[in-house]
């Protein structure tokens, strides 16, 4: 004790310090050897290690740091295919064959090999656009030849009509067919391409009459053939028992085969009719591509 106060003793924090408290005056003195006078003093052992206190409250969040540099652009797909999660009933599912498409139909073709630069997915409509409609009418001055009608002349340009059979050609063929009929003031409800072009769902209005190869892909899905996608594989095998909601009759394509004939296909028996009579009244199931 120094002048009635407590002095500071230099020692490591892990050691103890012994002090002696005078029983009469309560004054403390440092017991260097750890011994006190039993009659007049009380021994007090002090541990210099402090008692751990409670954890303090969390401080306020600091200000947001500066935005970091933009990372390098990722490498593009070598095939040009873009996987998209815009399918399913919630619109966030990855698109795949058999999954509901963003237009409310069903995905029947995934172009993962970039076979068709114009689109990555082909979606077939959820319902028939018509169960009985002709491919074209006999309206005069409707065809590509001024004095020909729509049923006896190429409706898509005569020089390119025969090229409108593959993937990515159905949309252009439909537009050309509709334009020819519009020139003859024909109602869209009167012919296959017009019916397909007018078809809408709650989430899409860009439907068209599929080309020969696009319709063939719908057939492969309907029959559940398990065949790989692509124009080189004709719809063959599988089951025609249920056809996944499709008809067992014939469906129109937008592909012209000659001046007065167009392609049609039956999903049940799978015969192609390369030059069907355009006056035939058969089914139309539109498709859309994205």
């Amino acid at each position: 004790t120094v002048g009635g106060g407590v002095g500071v003793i230099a020692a490591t924090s892990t050691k103890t310090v012994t002090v002696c408290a005078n029983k009469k005056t309560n004054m403390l003195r440092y017991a260097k050897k750890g011994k006190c006078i039993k009659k007049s003093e009380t021994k007090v052992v002090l541990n210099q290690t402090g008692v751990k206190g409670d954890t303090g409250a969390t401080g306020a969040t600091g200000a947001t740091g500066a935005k970091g540099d933009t990372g390098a652009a990722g490498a593009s797909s070598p095939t040009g295919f873009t996987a998209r999660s815009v399918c399913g009933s919630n619109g966030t599912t990855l698109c795949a064959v058999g999954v509901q498409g963003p237009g409310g139909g069903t995905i029947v073709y995934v172009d993962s090999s970039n076979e068709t630069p114009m689109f990555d997915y082909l979606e077939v409509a959820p319902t028939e656009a018509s169960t009985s409609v002709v491919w074209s009418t006999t309206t005069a001055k409707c065809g590509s030849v001024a004095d020909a009608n729509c049923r006896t002349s190429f409706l898509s340009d005569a020089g390119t009509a025969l090229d409108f059979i593959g993937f990515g050609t159905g949309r252009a063929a439909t537009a050309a067919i509709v334009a020819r009929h519009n020139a003859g003031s024909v109602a869209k409800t009167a012919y296959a391409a017009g019916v397909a072009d007018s078809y809408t769902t709650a989430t899409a209005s860009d439907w068209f009459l599929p080309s020969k190869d696009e319709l063939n892909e719908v057939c492969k899905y309907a029959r559940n053939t398990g065949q790989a996608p692509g124009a080189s594989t004709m719809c063959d095998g599988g089951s025609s028992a249920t056809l996944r909601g499709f008809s067992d009759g014939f469906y129109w394509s937008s592909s012209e085969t000659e001046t007065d004939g167009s392609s049609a296909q039956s999903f049940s028996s799978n015969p192609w009719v390369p030059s069907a009579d355009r006056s035939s009244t058969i089914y139309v199931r539109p498709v859309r591509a994205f």
Side-chain angles (χ1 to χ4, degrees):
T1 60
V2 180
V6 178
V8 178
I9 301 166
T12 63
S13 62
T14 59
K15 292 184 178 181
T16 59
V17 175
T18 301
V19 295
C20 301
N22 188 289
K23 296 180 180 180
K24 291 184 178 180
T25 64
N26 294 325
M27 296 295 289
L28 303 176
R29 71 176 182 83
Y30 171 52
K32 184 175 181 181
K33 295 183 179 181
K35 295 182 179 181
C36 297
I37 302 173
K38 292 183 179 180
K39 291 184 178 181
S40 60
E41 295 177 326
T42 299
K43 181 187 290 188
V44 180
V45 178
L46 305 178
N47 188 338
Q48 287 188 294
T49 302
V51 179
K52 182 178 180 180
D54 295 335
T55 302
T58 302
T61 302
T64 302
K67 184 177 180 181
D69 295 335
T70 301
S76 60
S77 168
T79 63
F81 170 72
T82 302
R84 301 180 65 181
S85 296
V86 295
C87 289
S89 58
N90 58 3
T92 60
T93 301
L94 183 66
C95 296
V97 172
V99 174
Q100 178 179 314
T106 303
I107 302 300
V108 297
Y109 171 72
V110 178
D111 187 17
S112 57
S113 61
N114 201 33
E115 183 177 354
T116 309
M118 285 72 74
F119 62 84
D120 292 325
Y121 301 97
L122 187 68
E123 177 182 0
V124 66
T127 60
E128 316 287 14
S130 177
T131 59
S132 179
V133 68
V134 299
W135 195 90
S136 61
T137 69
T138 57
T139 302
K141 298 183 179 180
C142 169
S144 58
V145 179
D147 60 351
N149 65 52
C150 284
R151 196 170 287 172
T152 59
S153 175
F154 279 118
L155 301 192
S156 50
D157 187 309
T160 59
L162 299 181
D163 293 329
F164 287 163
I165 61 174
F167 284 106
T169 63
R171 195 198 315 268
T174 298
I177 295 166
V178 169
R180 294 295 185 190
H181 280 85
N182 283 345
S185 300
V186 181
K188 287 186 177 181
T189 55
Y191 60 101
V195 168
D197 186 64
S198 299
Y199 184 86
T200 62
T201 59
T203 53
S205 59
D206 56 343
W207 303 91
F208 55 88
L209 191 63
S211 69
K212 176 179 178 291
D213 286 346
E214 291 163 349
L215 183 61
N216 182 65
E217 212 62 36
V218 177
C219 174
K220 290 196 292 188
Y221 171 75
R223 294 178 64 91
N224 193 20
T225 64
Q227 294 168 300
S232 61
T233 307
M234 297 304 295
C235 179
D236 188 25
S239 172
S240 59
T242 61
L243 291 180
R244 290 178 164 178
F246 292 85
S247 168
D248 60 358
F250 281 86
Y251 284 88
W252 279 123
S253 80
S254 57
S255 298
E256 301 177 80
T257 55
E258 51 190 349
T259 56
D260 58 357
S262 300
S263 292
Q265 185 178 20
S266 169
F267 295 172
S268 61
S269 55
N270 190 37
W272 269 107
V273 178
S275 187
D277 189 332
R278 294 182 180 183
S279 64
S280 300
T281 54
I282 58 178
Y283 287 80
V284 169
R285 181 70 76 99
V287 296
R288 63 184 297 270
F290 63 96

